Each structure stands twice: as structure tokens, then as C-alpha cells.
């Protein structure tokens, strides 16, 4: 019998010349990606893990058993019930946003597994697809089961199947990143930008938040997922290196575009979790501190290593670190019934912490929270008053990222209108408009939620929009976790009617 | 037919969709936006309406100001 070292190199790297089809037909540019290069340019594609299928299965089996053991030990409903309220709602955000996003990663990897340009790349992408399937199944299993104790966990399965505004934005992102993407752009955008650039937010940042919050199930789950990410993220580097030799401007464009798109999504997912949806005494650092330590510096170093420049809008990202997710959280709080998890108002202690961590713009944010607090003081606490402390006008969304027009600062919102081909578009920020202008054919036909309301596709009246279009119910839509009952608010105002 | 406009109130954290009538004065338009954002931003007596980087006369109407569907306008401290 051949030893492993004898057969594995042959099995991993098995390419051949086609006799009755052309290479361009086997790997069409539209689905394999550009630049289209003959296989001779890809033949040295290599990664360092060099795993066999048998080793892969043995390894993954061990990891899965470890996750099940943790679930049996600390993943019961009684364990979850002990979690602090803010973190419980972080959990609901991730329970919805994570599993089916991972599933789109299955599709992207399968595209690489068929249309990747070298056999070693295709082998690795096959494992990547299996990994992402695991990252779908584990959170579905762990989170959906919690629906017995809280019906908002129903959104674990439901989220991506709705037209909830955040689901529209998340789908717009993942559909482009993975589902509808060619193999080259997929691997650069997903492996290099998301998994190398942003993965620490989820796997280091969230894991340590979970640990501080005594949520050992979540901590172990993301740590287990991370061990797979570390392997399949390696696909991106040799893909990027080869494309760099032929079209460095294109690589720079992909990095610039995808860093921005990732920044938009992750500053919300992780930013809100760290700075608002974790109890104050369980916050190990601010979102900004974490970004600076784990993302910004490391990403710049990685860019340098590959001969890339930092994105042209870099100063804007640095500025947004101080404000963007704060704008989003206050806006989302005031439209919380449009979402599937509950919110808390930052009280005096939280606001003191936020001011200390974010001195640059906090005065303006503080005024917003003061005004919202004042509304609760006026109407008084109680579930029956939720909608009296809620936005009534239609919120607005960016035609690129599909997220609320909440960029810039309270003093100056950076939204910008563009007329293109007889239609009007609005973007939250300059980079979102720039991405649209680079590839209008890709984005121009997508309608944001406001355009859907105006065209009659979605109902204009808020309660109907929530129930019929966003698929929420009065039971599951987001509320103030304390229904405005905070000791620090003081007594209800006498002048209230 | 109401004209859907993107309104941005200084001090707010999000833009809002405001349905204006052609004959609304800009003062009325500013009022509509301030009401819509009152949960987050305290009302102000003195405000200015800015459209296309210009401060507008608030006595004129939406039609006279040339505001069209899906345009941006700003209401800022005056
Ligand atoms: Fe994954
Ligand atoms: Fe992955
Ligand atoms: Zn945007």
C-alpha cells in the first residue's frame, strides 16, 4: 500500500490537459473570475495545511464531539436563562445573522471547488464548503432550540427568509460576497478580507465577550468554528498573489470594496454587541479599542505584506470608529419594533463609560439619549407605552449597503444623492456611492426598502410593514428590555397627560 | 401626489422619509421633519432649511424651491 506521503501529493494536485474541450470552456471567466489565465499561471498554487479527507473527517468529528459535550454541560435552557439581559439580546442578533450567512459560504466554496483554477485550490475549497456547512448546522442546532424559552429565537431559522430591513441588507452583502460571486472574487473577498481581516471581531472579540458574560456555550462554539476558518482562509492568499502579478489594480479595487462592505456589516453586528448589548461590568474593552488592536493594525500589516495600499477612504473608517455604530444603535433603538431582539437604554453609568471611550462625538449622542429618556419620563414605563417611545416616520436606507442613512455625525449626515440612468439613488457615504459607480450594472436594479414602499411592493403603514413585510409579530418584535422602567429615569413627569 | 423627500435634521442619527405637499411652505416641511424626529431631537424654534447647499427662504413652497421626489433637504439650527 502507498504511504500517505506517496499518494497525498498526487491526490491533492491532479490536473490534466483537456482533449475535447478548451480550458476556457471548463473554467469560463464569468464564473471562474478574472483575469482569465491559462493553468500554467496557476500550477504553483499551494497552501500549507495539505490535509487528506480522512484526516479532515477525523478532526472534524473530534471537534463536533467537543461542542456536543459543552452543550450537554452548559448549553441547557437553565444556563441560558442566567445570562444578563443585554447579552441575551446579543445572542439573538447572532443567532439570526450567523447560521445562514455561513450557509452562503458553503455555496461560495462549492463554486471554488468546481471553478477554482488549480486542483489543490479545489480540494481545499471542498473542505471549506464542508466547514461552512458545519458552521451553519451548529448554530442552528444550538440557537433554534432556545425558541422554547423565548420566541425571538425563532429568527435563527427565519431571519434570511424575510424582507426585514436588516435581512435585506445582510442578503445584499452575502449574496454578492458568496452566492452570486465568481471564484476569484469570492476567495479574495471572503478569505482575504472577511476571514483574514474581520474574523478576529467574531472569533476573538465575541468569544471573549461571551466568556465575560459567562456564556460558555457561545464561547466554545465560535472558538470551534474559528479552527476551521484559520485553515480555509488560507485559500485566499495564493489566489490573491497570482492575480496581483497580472492585475494589481483589480486586486486593490476588490480589497477596497470589500473592506468597506465588511466594515459596514461588522461594525453593526459586533459594535452593538460590545458597546451596548453586553452588561457594563462585563465589557472587556470598547469596540473601538478592539478594532484598533485586532483589526486595523493587523489588516494594514497584511496589506503591506501583499504589496497593497490601504483603502483610499481609510481616514473615514478611522473617524467612523468613533461614531457610526452609535448612530446605528440610537436609530435602531427608536425603531426597535422593526427588529427581532430587545434593546436597553444606556443609563448614566453606561453613558459615562461611552463618553470616556468615545470623547470625540459623544456630546451629540448623549443629547439623543437624553431626549429619548425624556420621552419615557413623560409617557411612563410599561409595555403599553412601547410604541409611544418609537419612531413613526419611515426610516431611510442606503442604495448600496441597504443599511440606515446613519453615517456621518448627528451634526452632519453624509448621505448623498446620485442621479443615474434616469433614476435617483441615495447612499449613506462616499465609499458606498463609489462602489455603486464602479459597478452600476450590478447594483442599479436592487430596490431598498423605501423604494419598495414607494412602489407599493411593501406596505407604507408601519404596523403592516412590520407584520406583513418584515414578518414580525407583536410578540417577537423588538422592545425596550425593561419597557422604560429604569431607576435612574426618576419619577414620571407631572405634566404628562 | 405627495412628494417623498429625504429629510436630515441636525442632531439626529438617521435620515427620515418625509412626504411633502407641493404647496407646503419650507417652514411646514421643516416642522414635519422636526415632528418626525422629536423622539431623538428636541424641538427648536429657529431653524434653516438647506437644499442643494443653499439656505432657502422658508416662506416659499416646496414646488417653488424646486424640491423633487427623492431629493435631500436639511434642517439645521438657525
Ligand atoms: Fe464559517
Ligand atoms: Fe469561512
Ligand atoms: Zn451605504
Amino acid at each position: 500500500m502507498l504511504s500517505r506521503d506517496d499518494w497525498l501529493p498526487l491526490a491533492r494536485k491532479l490536473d490534466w490537459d483537456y482533449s475535447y474541450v478548451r480550458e476556457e470552456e471548463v473554467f469560463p471567466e464569468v464564473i471562474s473570475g478574472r483575469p482569465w489565465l491559462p493553468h500554467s499561471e496557476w500550477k504553483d498554487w499551494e497552501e500549507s495545511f495539505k490535509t487528506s479527507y480522512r484526516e479532515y473527517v477525523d478532526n472534524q468529528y473530534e471537534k463536533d464531539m467537543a461542542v456536543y459535550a459543552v452543550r450537554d454541560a452548559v448549553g441547557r435552557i437553565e444556563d441560558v436563562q442566567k445570562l444578563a439581559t443585554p447579552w441575551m439580546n446579543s445572542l439573538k442578533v447572532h443567532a439570526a445573522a450567523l447560521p445562514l450567512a455561513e450557509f452562503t459560504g458553503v455555496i461560495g466554496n462549492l463554486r471554488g471547488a468546481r471553478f477554482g483554477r488549480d486542483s489543490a485550490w479545489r480540494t481545499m475549497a471542498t473542505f471549506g464548503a464542508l466547514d461552512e456547512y458545519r458552521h451553519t448546522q451548529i448554530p442552528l442546532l444550538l440557537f433554534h432550540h432556545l425558541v422554547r424559552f423565548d420566541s425571538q429565537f425563532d429568527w435563527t431559522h427565519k431571519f434570511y427568509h424575510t424582507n426585514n430591513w436588516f435581512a435585506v441588507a445582510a442578503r445584499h452583502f452575502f449574496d454578492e460576497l458568496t452566492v452570486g460571486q465568481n471564484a476569484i472574487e469570492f476567495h479574495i473577498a471572503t478569505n482575504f478580507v472577511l476571514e483574514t481581516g474581520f474574523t478576529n471581531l467574531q472569533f476573538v472579540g465575541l468569544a471573549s465577550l461571551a466568556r465575560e458574560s459567562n456564556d460558555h456555550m457561545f464561547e466554545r462554539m465560535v472558538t470551534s468554528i474559528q479552527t476551521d476558518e484559520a485553515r480555509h482562509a488560507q485559500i485566499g492568499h495564493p489566489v490573491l498573489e497570482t492575480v496581483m502579478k497580472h492585475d494589481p489594480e483589480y486586486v486593490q479595487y476588490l480589497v477596497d470594496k470589500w473592506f468597506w462592505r465588511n466594515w459596514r456589516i461588522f461594525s453593526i453586528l459586533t459594535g452593538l454587541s460590545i458597546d451596548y448589548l453586553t452588561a457594563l461590568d462585563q465589557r472587556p474593552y470598547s469596540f473601538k479599542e478592539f478594532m484598533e488592536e485586532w483589526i486595523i493594525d493587523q489588516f494594514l500589516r497584511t496589506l503591506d505584506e501583499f504589496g497593497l495600499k490601504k483603502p483610499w477612504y481609510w481616514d473615514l473608517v478611522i473617524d467612523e470608529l468613533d461614531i457610526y455604530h452609535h448612530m446605528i444603535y440610537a436609530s435602531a433603538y427608536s425603531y426597535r419594533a422593526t427588529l427581532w431582539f430587545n434593546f436597553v437604554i444606556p443609563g448614566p453609568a453606561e453613558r459615562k463609560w461611552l463618553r470616556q471611550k468615545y470623547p470625540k462625538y459623544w456630546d451629540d449622542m448623549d443629547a439623543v439619549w437624553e431626549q429619548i429618556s425624556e420621552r419615557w419620563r413623560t409617557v411612563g414605563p410599561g409595555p403599553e407605552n412601547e410604541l409611544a417611545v418609537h419612531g413613526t416616520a419611515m426610516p431611510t436606507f442606503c442604495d448600496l449597503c441597504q443599511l440606515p442613512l446613519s453615517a456621518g455625525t448627528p451634526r452632519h449626515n453624509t448621505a448623498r444623492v446620485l442621479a443615474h440612468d434616469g433614476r435617483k439613488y441615495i447612499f449613506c457615504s462616499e465609499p458606498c456611492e463609489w462602489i455603486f459607480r464602479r459597478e452600476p450594472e450590478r447594483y442599479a436594479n436592487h430596490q431598498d426598502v423605501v423604494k419598495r414602499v414607494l412602489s407599493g411592493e411593501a406596505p407604507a403603514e408601519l404596523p403592516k410593514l412590520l407584520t406583513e413585510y418584515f414578518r414580525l409579530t407583536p410578540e417577537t418584535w423588538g422592545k425596550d428590555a425593561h419597557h422604560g422602567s429604569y431607576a435612574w429615569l426618576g419619577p414620571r413627569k407631572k405634566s404628562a397627560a | 401626489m405627495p412628494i417623498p423627500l429625504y429629510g436630515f435634521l441636525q442632531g439626529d442619527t438617521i435620515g427620515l422619509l418625509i412626504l411633502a405637499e407641493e404647496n407646503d411652505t419650507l417652514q411646514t416641511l421643516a416642522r414635519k421633519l422636526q415632528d418626525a424626529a422629536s423622539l431623538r431631537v428636541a424641538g427648536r424654534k429657529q431653524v434653516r432649511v438647506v437644499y442643494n447647499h443653499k439656505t432657502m427662504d422658508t416662506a416659499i413652497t416646496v414646488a417653488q424651491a424646486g424640491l423633487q421626489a427623492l431629493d435631500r433637504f436639511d434642517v439645521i439650527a438657525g
Side-chain angles (χ1 to χ4, degrees), chain A residues 227-241:
Chain A
T227 60
D228 298 341
E229 298 292 334
R231 172 173 28 74
H232 66 236
Q234 298 305 313
I235 303 174
H237 294 183
V239 173
L240 185 144
E241 271 171 10

Side-chain angles (χ1 to χ4, degrees), chain A residues 102 105 109 128 131-132 135 186 190-191 194-195 199 203 225 228-230 232-233:
Chain A
E102 298 278 4
N109 274 284
D131 289 341
E132 303 298 8
H135 307 170
F186 165 76
T190 304
N191 303 144
L194 192 162
E195 291 172 349
T199 204
F203 298 118
I225 289 178
D228 298 341
E229 298 292 334
H232 66 236

